[in-house]
Amino acid sequence: MINIVIVSHSKHLAEGIEALANQMLNPTHCRLAIAAGVDDEAHPIGTDAVKIMTAIESLAEADAIIVMMDLGSAILSTETAIELLDTELAQKVTLCSAPLVEGTLAAVVAASSGASLEKVLEEANHALTPKKMQLGENMGGSEPNDVTPSIQMHGKEAHWVVKNPHGLHVRPAATLVELLSKFRADYQLIKGDRRINPLSLNQLSLIQIRQGDEITLIASGEQENEAIDAFLALAKQGFGEALPDELTEQSLTGTLVPASPIKGPAFIWHELELAPIENLSAPLDSTIQIEQFNQAIKDTLNDLKHYAEKANHTLGEQIGAIFNGHIMMLDDEELLTNVIDRIKTDNVSAQQSWTNEMKERIQLYRTLSDPYLRARELDLRDLRNQVLYHLQQKTPPKFTPSQPSILVAKELFPSTLIQFDATQLLAITLAEGDSCSHSAIIATQMGLPMLVHLGDGLLKIKEAQELTLDLKSSELIIGSIN
């Protein structure tokens, strides 16, 4: 394992680099720590040798530790930190002169692939090459022209042009992760000039594989042939989804009979998004916080397994796959390691560490250009909320309408919807929502019309107020209160 410490004068800069690097990190081979800024609210810019020493010590189990630094004085602080270390640990540390952002990302990718220390340093020091080539700058013959930000893996290869209408979003990506995990092999998945570990659902989602994209899977190891054969078989089956040319060989055109408007009383649902609750009267014990976090994850995984089983039984395997995908997103070694590291290094509670980590990941999804992948941010908010309920030992509210009703809410999580009794619902109306969300997909399978993006005016509706949903015009007509 080769671990990496990011040293910067700015805490915000270091955290940004860490967030980028975490997209490419394989925690089996590489871990990160940051030592940035100083503890002075009036003048937070600077470096602290003790912070750097502590960061290095937190990664002491590594075979080697690389320190990436931003400015000259950061080098001086790091050299001082090394002098404070135990001699055996100090011998593991190497200072790298590569540019902080590009060099760190290149080093993380290389280290995550299991590369040697020499190769990781080489990749970091050549990290500016792709940018120089793209801008047409003179390379001066000092750097190779074939350097890429990733280590190339050699093994059995398979090429595939993705046919899924919405690309490899969470459900087909989860199916791929589950398949590849069965074989004794190492993998890389290539799209364009990006190489990722396809065993990470988060990395598969963030690389944005769309319909028409060509991808290459490389497998290397004892069962590389079996893995490649299984991959191609799954790809031909649409990664678990029905492909357009499998649906029908002909089309018939007719006249649709207009659906009758749906009428019913409003049932107001408040989807609570919890925030961290701090117990300021009790001392913060990181060991206890980590134990509580691990238990909350275990309890949430049990809930998700129950939701997946219910979905499989009542709505079919396609909906069950949504919650199996949630299980994979939550049971992610990189995610859980990052949260525990935050508890230790930032001296914060499990609730705050979990919230901070998920906030960064949610924001990454919100910036994606693909609407289907961008809509998966709701799944992350859902997972964040479920874990917080367990950390705070609270029970989520129950769905209890007295008669079949039209649900009115600001937003609706997939885990909430799967628990509803569909016989007590006529339709769903949301002030926000997303037609590409998994909540919308579940509602469709439940046979429930859903109207989204109705705006804040929807939230002024009172309990039991009479509503009429015109499916033809996508209009909600608000009547008087009974």
Side-chain angles (χ1 to χ4, degrees), residues 158 160 179 226-240 243 246:
W160 186 256
L179 176 79
E226 294 92 330
I228 289 296
D229 291 343
F231 166 77
L232 289 173
L234 182 67
K236 292 174 182 177
Q237 297 168 5
F239 298 96
L243 298 177
E246 295 176 337

Side-chain angles (χ1 to χ4, degrees), residues 338-357:
N338 286 352
V339 175
I340 291 172
D341 286 346
R342 285 177 182 267
I343 293 173
K344 295 177 180 178
T345 60
D346 297 347
N347 194 34
V348 295
S349 68
Q351 293 184 44
Q352 189 64 59
S353 177
W354 171 248
T355 300
N356 292 346
E357 180 68 23

